[in-house]
Amino acid sequence: MIELSNNSIPYFISDLHISHRTPKTLQAFEHWIATVSSPNSHIFILGDLFEIWFGDDYTDEVVQRTQSAFIHSKDAGSTLYFMQGNRDFLIGDTFCKQVGFKLLTDPDFIQINQHIILLTHGDQLCVDDQDYQRFRHMTRSNNWIDNFLSQPLADRIELANSIREHSERDKSHKKIEIMDISQSAVNNAYLGHWPDGRLIGRSNVILHGHTHRCAVHGLNQPGLINQSCHGKLHHQLRFVLPDWDFDYPKEKFNGGYLTIQHDGTFQLNLLHSSQLIELKS
């Protein structure tokens, strides 16, 4: 259980999907983290920081710039937390030590204003997508990971890109509802029952990314949003963090982050592509 002091400010982001194809998204992230970094800042990245990860021995300009942004944030006094996503689950101890991440388990918990908040990337709650869950179970096994990482880097890059392309083709044939979070899985998670059968302990707020369907949900009440909002934590509240994409502008927003004050007040801030233009001026 993560517990923060009253003067701490937690920031939650996920699903940046940084790659060489997203230079504007990387630039927006670099500016954002430089802006929010301080000794009171606790920055939580809940998965899919990168679009794809080949192993901690891989590097390129994009990886180096991302590392540098985190190192500067750490030097400014920030505390950094990272949870693996479905795209970058191979990020390991070496990378985390290089940038100063505290590696979280999935799920993990944080307590704010007497609320127990469950943190998860979110893909484990998509229980209706049984094909994906079978694939996830296979690729998270120690044997699969050890076998993959033992291969030459060039082979890993080729295999990982092939898996990604196959995944994208599969998603194009699935209904959105199948790939979304299951409400029954959410209800069970509040009660401490995780989809894989583990007993994880009760919570009364859930915070995740993964689905790219930014929302603030009350109990059994969908709450998709397209503008910044604020409020107060309450029981059975579920936050879905926004994905980031400044390279292919959307109509409404292109990224964002969640902050929660020690008194339980939250602010979900959505960022727009126009803000990136302002940063250049």
Side-chain angles (χ1 to χ4, degrees):
M1 178 79 70
I2 302 166
E3 296 186 26
L4 305 180
S5 63
N6 287 346
N7 61 349
S8 297
I9 305 175
Y11 296 85
F12 300 94
I13 61 173
S14 73
D15 297 277
L16 282 78
H17 294 271
I18 292 172
S19 76
H20 66 276
R21 297 185 180 92
T22 61
K24 293 180 181 178
T25 301
L26 175 55
Q27 182 183 1
F29 165 70
E30 289 172 320
H31 178 85
W32 175 82
I33 196 168
T35 300
V36 303
S37 294
S38 78
N40 293 330
S41 298
H42 290 251
I43 300 173
F44 293 78
I45 302 97
L46 299 187
D48 286 0
L49 170 64
F50 294 102
E51 171 65 9
I52 196 168
W53 193 252
F54 308 112
D56 288 358
D57 57 339
Y58 174 82
T59 191
D60 60 17
E61 181 186 357
V62 170
V63 172
Q64 292 167 5
R65 283 176 58 183
T66 306
Q67 287 176 312
S68 179
F70 283 120
I71 291 170
H72 285 130
S73 179
K74 184 78 173 177
D75 290 344
S78 302
T79 305
L80 308 175
Y81 306 82
F82 177 74
M83 178 180 289
Q84 297 158 325
N86 57 295
R87 295 289 189 181
D88 51 17
F89 68 92
L90 290 171
I91 287 180
D93 291 337
T94 299
F95 182 84
C96 289
K97 289 177 181 177
Q98 288 172 345
V99 300
F101 281 158
K102 294 184 178 182
L103 186 60
L104 301 174
T105 59
D106 188 356
D108 216 320
F109 297 88
I110 182 172
Q111 183 169 355
I112 300 177
N113 191 238
Q114 299 183 343
H115 288 276
I116 307 298
I117 304 174
L118 184 154
L119 306 177
T120 180
H121 177 60
D123 57 330
Q124 294 179 79
L125 296 173
C126 299
V127 298
D128 294 331
D129 191 346
Q130 297 181 10
D131 289 340
Y132 169 74
Q133 294 302 332
R134 283 191 289 269
F135 172 78
R136 188 187 190 283
H137 179 75
M138 176 188 70
T139 56
R140 298 312 188 274
S141 70
N142 291 333
N143 286 340
W144 191 94
I145 292 173
D146 290 344
N147 179 65
F148 180 85
L149 293 178
S150 68
Q151 299 180 47
L153 179 58
D155 292 349
R156 280 182 269 147
I157 292 173
E158 182 179 0
L159 177 58
N161 283 324
S162 175
I163 291 173
R164 178 185 175 277
E165 292 171 4
H166 181 76
S167 172
E168 291 299 315
R169 287 196 300 270
D170 276 357
K171 286 199 303 184
S172 67
H173 299 296
K174 292 180 180 179
K175 295 181 179 179
I176 293 179
E177 294 78 12
I178 295 293
M179 297 184 288
D180 201 1
I181 301 296
S182 162
Q183 186 60 50
S184 63
V186 167
N187 294 340
N188 287 331
Y190 283 127
L191 298 174
H193 301 282
W194 202 237
D196 63 7
R198 284 180 291 161
L199 297 177
I200 60 171
R202 290 173 177 260
S203 58
N204 47 42
V205 176
I206 294 177
L207 200 168
H208 67 84
H210 180 63
T211 64
H212 299 194
R213 304 187 75 195
C214 181
V216 181
H217 295 285
L219 179 61
N220 296 321
Q221 295 178 347
L224 295 176
I225 62 172
N226 53 32
Q227 60 185 355
S228 298
C229 67
H230 60 88
K232 196 90 168 182
L233 294 182
H234 59 78
H235 283 238
Q236 298 193 331
L237 189 66
R238 177 165 64 93
F239 295 99
V240 186
L241 295 171
D243 60 303
W244 287 50
D245 187 353
F246 284 79
D247 293 272
Y248 306 94
K250 301 174 184 175
E251 182 180 353
K252 298 296 183 180
F253 64 90
N254 302 92
Y257 61 97
L258 174 72
T259 61
I260 305 177
Q261 303 296 325
H262 71 90
D263 64 355
T265 302
F266 70 82
Q267 176 79 33
L268 182 58
N269 298 283
L270 299 184
L271 305 174
H272 302 265
S273 56
S274 59
Q275 292 173 271
L276 183 60
I277 298 174
E278 293 170 4
L279 300 181
K280 294 180 179 178
S281 60

